[in-house]
Amino acid sequence: MECILLAGGLGTRLRDVVADLPKCMAPVNGIPFLSYILRYLERQHTDHVIFSLGYKSEVVIEWLRNKAFTFKTSWVIEQEPLGTGGGIKLALNKSKEKEVFILNGDTFFDVDLQRMHSAFDRNYKAMVALKPMQQFERYGSVEIDDQNNIVGFKEKKFTESGLINGGIYLLNKAKEDFSSFPGRFSFEQDFLTIQDQHALQGFVSDSYFIDIGVPEDYRRAQAEMKQREN
């Protein structure tokens, strides 16, 4: 199983609490948030993790070189900001498998990747892991039909109950390799939201989820991630 990990984010909204680090390296209980994601990928029996790096890439690389994992690691480095889509497109040059998982380096979503892979219909371009959530406004919502086809994305607004994009994707390279896309683009806005029905499949998982992109949830992660490790 192969994964691309988007780990080049600037973390501008965390600057007051985490100075001068990529978001994935923000310390949570004394270790980088990235460490929790990689432990998770080890538990999921991942074979190869490709890091898509940008801002302060040397910090991530130095940390990785001093660690040992059960999977192979490699990386690509953006010479200029390429957006999430451009970062994925660049990392695909290192990918060998027919399908590749994509994860965000500032989000932890405890999805069973083996089950997600088994549920994936190869007639689709991609599968998106979806998290059920109550009373939220920070995230847009995702609509699916009774066959788990993704039929719509709604803008951020207060929502009583719905599904959010959990930031884990399974890409079918036979259906989409991004060769027609520019070097810089947004995976979420320029790829996901323009797809027709039967292009994207949803995978609903009500497992643990946290996104450390804002200070409030970064602080919440300090307690929750420690409890999960115990």
Side-chain angles (χ1 to χ4, degrees):
M1 188 166 64
E2 200 169 48
C3 299
I4 292 171
L5 185 57
L6 301 176
L10 274 70
T12 52
R13 289 179 293 180
L14 291 180
R15 285 291 165 82
D16 289 343
V17 289
V18 180
D20 211 27
L21 284 173
K23 270 194 292 186
C24 68
M25 297 299 288
V28 174
N29 299 311
I31 60 174
F33 184 70
L34 178 61
S35 184
Y36 295 96
I37 299 175
L38 298 185
R39 290 176 186 175
Y40 157 74
L41 290 178
E42 286 187 321
R43 294 194 297 270
Q44 296 295 316
H45 306 293
T46 304
D47 301 308
H48 182 201
V49 178
I50 306 162
F51 296 83
S52 182
L53 305 175
Y55 176 71
K56 294 283 185 180
S57 59
E58 68 279 3
V59 175
V60 181
I61 292 170
E62 182 180 3
W63 183 80
L64 288 173
R65 282 177 169 160
N66 287 289
K67 300 293 179 183
F69 303 100
T70 59
F71 45 74
K72 175 186 174 184
T73 60
S74 56
W75 50 77
V76 295
I77 302 173
E78 301 177 11
Q79 299 306 311
E80 59 182 6
L82 299 177
T84 49
I88 293 167
K89 182 178 179 179
L90 185 63
L92 284 174
N93 293 321
K94 299 270 188 179
S95 172
K96 305 297 183 185
E97 301 292 332
K98 293 179 181 179
E99 295 109 23
V100 58
F101 281 97
I102 301 163
L103 294 85
N104 287 318
D106 59 353
T107 302
F108 185 95
F109 190 11
D110 198 10
V111 173
D112 186 329
L113 297 184
Q114 299 288 348
R115 284 188 56 226
M116 184 171 171
H117 191 268
S118 296
F120 185 44
D121 184 334
R122 273 66 189 177
N123 291 310
Y124 291 74
K125 290 185 179 181
M127 176 178 262
V128 182
L130 305 174
K131 166 69 177 176
M133 193 168 283
Q134 309 295 320
Q135 298 182 332
F136 60 94
E137 57 184 344
R138 180 179 163 195
Y139 306 97
S141 57
V142 183
E143 296 181 318
I144 59 174
D145 64 15
D146 56 4
Q147 301 298 314
N148 285 333
N149 295 301
I150 293 179
V151 296
F153 292 87
K154 289 188 173 182
E155 296 292 330
K156 297 178 183 179
K157 65 175 183 178
F158 179 79
T159 303
E160 191 66 36
S161 178
L163 299 170
I164 68 163
N165 177 351
I168 294 182
Y169 314 97
L170 180 56
L171 180 69
N172 182 358
K173 290 161 58 179
K175 293 287 186 179
E176 183 57 75
D177 62 2
F178 300 117
S179 57
S180 64
F181 282 73
R184 178 177 181 172
F185 69 99
S186 165
F187 179 75
E188 297 83 0
Q189 297 300 319
D190 300 325
F191 173 67
L192 292 182
T193 61
I194 66 168
Q195 299 302 316
D196 296 328
Q197 191 172 347
H198 301 295
L200 301 176
Q201 191 178 9
F203 181 81
V204 179
S205 175
D206 199 15
S207 49
Y208 178 74
F209 170 89
I210 193 162
D211 174 354
I212 65 163
V214 297
E216 178 186 355
D217 284 350
Y218 171 64
R219 286 188 288 267
R220 183 164 62 89
Q222 307 294 326
E224 293 183 356
M225 299 303 286
K226 184 176 182 178
Q227 185 177 19
R228 288 181 57 80
E229 291 290 306
N230 292 335

